[in-house]
Amino acid sequence: MNAPATFDPQAFRAALGTFTTGVTIITTRSADGEPIGITANSFNSVSLNPPLVLWSLAKNARSLPAFSSEKYWNVHVLAAEQEALSGRFAAQGSDKFAGVELDDGIGPAPLLPGCTARFQCRTAFQYEGGDHVIFVGEVLAFDNSGHAPLVFQSGQYALAARKPRTELRLAAPPPPECSYTEDLLGYLLGRAHYQMLDTLRRLLSGQQLDEQQFFILSILCIRDNLTLDEINGFVGYTGLKVGAETLQALQQQDLIACEQNAAGTERYVMTAAGREASLHQIALAKAVESEVADKLDAGDVMALKVLLKRLVAATDPGLPDLWAAR
Ligand SMILES: Cc1cc2nc3c(=O)[nH]c(=O)nc-3n(C[C@H](O)[C@H](O)[C@H](O)COP(=O)(O)O)c2cc1C
């Protein structure tokens, strides 16, 4: 081998990190029966026939002696919800398996539940790989749950949102500068919002509540006992201004009640009937969401929510936090 090139290690690591991967936990069991596991994203497929996979382990890893001597190891492709587990198995010194229930595998290596896919392997080859050891394993068994996978990109966890197989019209020739485009963020958000709201509105039409009343009930359902000003603080982002007459209409329907404290401040609380109406609305809102989720795929919905939350935070004019603990 020629003398190795001298790279800036950080720049080299950063460039390698652009290769986006899934995240795995690889487990084995030491000769004295101790469960061993580490987080690894160096996993890759090698061969279909025979079925072979590989991964590499740092020579300074505490688990090296166990992986070098034990024949059986399991690769767990982590699901998007398993980020905390990934962190746990990437940290040295902690009891990585504390509280983790294991499935039965074909060999002695621990088999973790709740993953996207799992490969139960036996070491076929072991190679020197600089500061790492490369393990090539023969796959003895595998399973695939179809859960959305956890992704690792440039040193950060990420979610995978699939591009559609058929080209979206985003690739259409660019329109003249002065015109609206089909991929203008405001248009996309607005259209998605109205389309989803329309479905919900049709489902809610049986309840005889208008949009404002729906918003008020959903706010009181999350945070009861609010003044009119506080209610307006929470619905402000919709552009709607709740007036006393809307609250009176809800009172007449016995969905909310007004309570006055000693200082004469009026606070609105939900009645039992209001709570029931609200539960019905929540069920409908969830039905609309699950209908959309079926069309988009669970992983894409998760990625969409993360991006929307970032957008909400980035455009927040400083609204009170409806979800904050009181
Ligand atoms: C996303 C991610 C991927 C990782 N990939 C690898 C890898 O492929 N090989 C490796 O040796 N360490 C990898 N690590 C680091 C190990 O998980 C970490 O050093 C662990 O503490 C080693 O455990 P041990 O010393 O108990 O064996 C990765 C860490 C993270 C967070």
Side-chain angles (χ1 to χ4, degrees):
M1 204 166 150
N2 294 330
T6 48
F7 296 136
D8 169 358
Q10 266 184 347
F12 185 47
R13 192 184 263 263
L16 290 173
T18 64
F19 184 64
T20 303
T21 65
V23 181
T24 73
I25 289 175
I26 304 181
T27 58
T28 190
R29 195 172 290 278
S30 68
D32 55 12
E34 189 198 348
I36 308 277
I38 88 150
T39 300
N41 69 338
S42 53
F43 172 74
N44 222 319
S45 57
V46 175
S47 159
L48 291 176
N49 190 12
L52 298 174
V53 295
L54 68 72
W55 66 288
S56 60
L57 177 61
K59 283 185 179 164
N60 62 8
R62 285 186 315 174
S63 53
L64 182 69
F67 280 109
S68 303
S69 55
E70 299 309 316
K71 283 267 159 282
Y72 293 93
W73 38 271
N74 294 334
V75 180
H76 307 81
V77 177
L78 296 188
E81 292 85 3
Q82 292 179 306
E83 186 181 323
L85 203 62
S86 168
R88 189 201 286 207
F89 278 81
Q92 274 193 344
S94 60
D95 181 2
K96 300 178 179 181
F97 289 86
V100 178
E101 279 188 30
L102 299 175
D103 286 345
D104 287 332
I106 54 173
L111 193 59
L112 304 171
C115 305
T116 300
R118 302 184 295 194
F119 301 91
Q120 300 186 55
C121 305
R122 182 172 52 203
T123 303
F125 310 101
Q126 211 172 299
Y127 301 106
E128 278 292 302
D131 55 11
H132 280 58
V133 175
I134 302 164
F135 293 94
V136 176
E138 179 193 358
V139 179
L140 306 173
F142 72 92
D143 57 71
N144 177 357
S145 71
H147 293 338
L150 184 62
V151 172
F152 201 64
Q153 144 80 159
S154 292
Q156 259 187 288
Y157 293 108
L159 294 166
R162 298 165 314 164
K163 291 180 97 178
R165 282 186 206 279
T166 47
E167 268 307 297
L168 274 181
R169 270 193 287 157
L170 297 182
E177 274 294 300
C178 58
S179 106
Y180 282 112
T181 65
E182 230 177 313
D183 63 341
L184 192 71
L185 190 56
Y187 164 73
L188 290 171
L189 284 170
R191 178 147 178 191
H193 163 77
Y194 283 116
Q195 284 178 189
M196 275 194 75
L197 202 64
D198 192 51
T199 318
L200 183 62
R201 234 182 242 143
R202 270 186 279 118
L203 291 172
L204 283 171
S205 62
Q207 276 202 333
Q208 325 260 301
L209 290 175
D210 67 21
E211 203 167 306
Q212 239 190 21
Q213 293 169 333
F214 166 72
F215 273 122
I216 295 166
L217 277 194
S218 38
I219 282 164
L220 287 177
C221 175
I222 302 161
R223 238 167 206 252
D224 213 3
N225 199 20
L226 297 175
T227 64
L228 176 57
D229 278 352
E230 285 169 339
I231 292 175
N232 269 316
F234 287 125
V235 292
Y237 71 90
T238 62
L240 300 172
K241 179 127 177 74
V242 177
E245 61 296 339
T246 311
L247 293 173
Q248 269 157 19
L250 283 170
Q251 279 174 269
Q252 273 156 17
Q253 292 178 70
D254 190 32
L255 296 173
I256 65 169
C258 181
E259 290 175 354
Q260 227 172 42
N261 65 11
T265 312
E266 294 187 333
R267 295 194 156 268
Y268 293 89
V269 293
M270 255 184 163
T271 62
R275 211 154 274 288
E276 200 171 308
S278 225
L279 288 179
H280 184 59
Q281 289 173 357
I282 293 168
L284 293 178
K286 287 195 171 161
V288 173
E289 170 161 340
S290 81
E291 207 176 292
V292 171
D294 284 348
K295 290 178 188 156
L296 290 189
D297 171 273
D300 292 354
V301 171
M302 209 185 287
L304 180 62
K305 285 183 181 179
V306 168
L307 291 176
L308 286 174
K309 281 183 185 170
R310 283 180 57 192
L311 182 63
V312 167
T315 54
D316 185 0
L319 294 177
D321 184 358
L322 182 58
W323 311 94
R326 266 183 149 171

